Structures are given as C-alpha cells and as structure tokens.
Amino acid sequence: MRGLRGPLMAKIKKLLLRVVLALGIFWGGGILLFSFMPVPFSAVMVERQVGAWLTGDFGYVAHSDWVGMDEISPWVALAVIAAEDQRFPDHWGLDFGAIEKALSHNEQHENRIRGASTISQQTIKNLLLWDGKSWVRKGFEAGLTLVTEAVWTKRRILTVYLNIAEFGDGIFGVEAASQRYFHKPASKLTMAEAALLAAVLPNPVRFRADAPSGYVRSRQAWIMRQMRQLGGEDFLARNKLH
C-alpha cells in the first residue's frame, strides 16, 4: 500500500492542477468576455434553475432582461450603492475597513452576523461562483474580484451587477424587477421605487418588493436618506458611474 501511495498522490495533484487550470481559463475568459458583452445568465441563475428542477418545480424560470446603464434610472445605481457599498467608487474591490468592522461586530453578536461584501464581490459571486457561505468560495471571490477590478471600469461592474442581482423568486436584474413590480421599464423608476428594490437585496426571497414588510419600508426610508447624503445624482456624475 505504501508503494502505491506515492503514484496515487501524484495523480491526485495532477488532477487538481488540471481542474484549477481549467477553472482559471473559464473564469478569466468570462471576465474578459463580459467586460464588453451582455451577460445572458449568471452562475447563481443556473444554480437556482437547476435547484428548482431537482425539487420538481418545473414552473420556475430564472428570468433576466439585459439593459445598458443608459436604460436604467440613475436612482437605481445610487440606491444600491447607498444600500450595499457606499465606498464603491473608492476601493479596489475589497473594503478592508468594512471587513474589520464586520469581524468585530460578529465576534460580539454571534446571532446577528454582518457581511462586508462589496458590490464588486457580489457581482463576481453572482456571475461566476455559487451561493452559500464557505471560505473556499470567499477565497476565489476575493481573487477574481481583484482581477475584475483591474480589467473592468466601475461603471461596467455596476452595470453587470444591476443586470444579474436577484430581486425576487426567479427575478434577476433591474429591468425584470421593474417590469414585474412596477409595470414599467427600469429607466422610469423613481427614487422611492429604486430604494424599495435596493431594500430587498440582502435577502430577495425573504424580503418582497411587491409586499414590503415594515422592516423593508424602514430600510427603504433609510436608503433614501443615504442617497440624499451621498449627494444624489451628482454623486454618480462625479464618479462617472452613470
């Protein structure tokens, strides 16, 4: 058995190397391709769709309609930045200050875990990785986020994020969400409507834009205050985000 252990370990290492290399080519190709091409679907959309089929839910359809930033109300971009990542224009994909604060908070409040993922990290997770919590995924996420920040503009990251973010059961992207909840294109969304959509982002299955709870309404109001404090549409213009 000892004599077989060496060749077996060598084969395992070679296989792992090939897997990592294949993933690197796949992820790198995706980052380059989607730096200018519309995203037809994301990894999380595929995960949701396959999961529905495996549970016998053949009526579930992960739906998204790609739109460019010029076809999205500027209030939406401002709302998600206010809600999810107010330092988005300034960091390089990872917000170390937010990470430090989240770790400190989580040590003191084990039952109320706080995340520190930036919009850039969320974009990569939704686009190329998988849902759920694991240190392996977070490691891949951090590395791919740094690569993406080096290749894409902030405006491009925000555009992809708004097109693949989950806003409800089977509803991905702001255009699909706007049509579903407000019966109009994303370009026509108001400040309050944009803030309501951003309010459900932490958990779009539990929180609903079409039947907002008191918590969602309070979060919507908080987001609107943050949007005003950031400077409204001038904030987007200063940072070339819309």
Side-chain angles (χ1 to χ4, degrees), residues 162-181:
L162 291 175
N163 274 281
I164 64 176
E166 188 175 14
F167 288 98
D169 194 24
I171 302 169
F172 293 83
V174 66
E175 180 67 18
S178 182
Q179 294 288 354
R180 170 65 176 81
Y181 299 129

Side-chain angles (χ1 to χ4, degrees), residues 92 145-153 157:
W92 286 86
T145 295
L146 293 174
V147 173
T148 302
E149 283 272 352
V151 176
W152 295 8
T153 64
I157 293 171

Side-chain angles (χ1 to χ4, degrees), residues 155-199:
R155 177 185 164 112
R156 182 61 182 178
I157 293 171
L158 191 57
T159 301
V160 173
Y161 176 76
L162 291 175
N163 274 281
I164 64 176
E166 188 175 14
F167 288 98
D169 194 24
I171 302 169
F172 293 83
V174 66
E175 180 67 18
S178 182
Q179 294 288 354
R180 170 65 176 81
Y181 299 129
F182 305 111
H183 312 291
K184 59 183 177 181
S187 61
K188 302 297 184 182
L189 288 171
T190 66
M191 180 183 187
E193 290 165 344
L196 181 58
L197 289 180

Side-chain angles (χ1 to χ4, degrees), residues 7-98:
L8 180 60
M9 289 301 297
K11 288 182 180 179
I12 292 174
K13 289 179 180 178
K14 185 179 293 185
L15 177 61
L16 289 175
L17 181 61
R18 288 177 178 175
V19 169
V20 171
L21 181 61
L23 286 173
I25 293 172
F26 173 75
W27 286 331
I31 290 171
L32 289 175
L33 180 65
F34 296 132
S35 65
F36 60 92
M37 289 285 291
V39 178
F41 54 84
S42 68
V44 169
M45 289 175 68
V46 172
E47 182 180 354
R48 295 281 191 274
Q49 188 66 67
V50 172
W53 286 341
L54 290 176
T55 58
D57 184 2
F58 298 103
Y60 178 94
V61 177
H63 177 62
S64 174
D65 295 312
W66 177 272
V67 286
M69 186 61 82
D70 294 337
E71 300 172 87
I72 301 173
S73 167
W75 292 122
V76 182
L78 186 62
V80 298
I81 291 172
E84 298 290 300
D85 184 5
Q86 294 190 14
R87 296 192 63 250
F88 174 68
D90 304 316
H91 61 62
W92 286 86
L94 305 178
D95 188 342
F96 294 103

Side-chain angles (χ1 to χ4, degrees), residues 84-85 93-103 106 114-119 121-122 138 141:
E84 298 290 300
D85 184 5
L94 305 178
D95 188 342
F96 294 103
I99 292 172
E100 185 176 351
K101 288 180 181 178
L103 289 173
N106 295 342
R114 177 186 297 175
S117 292
T118 64
I119 286 175
Q121 288 175 273
Q122 293 178 50
K138 293 298 288 186
E141 179 186 291

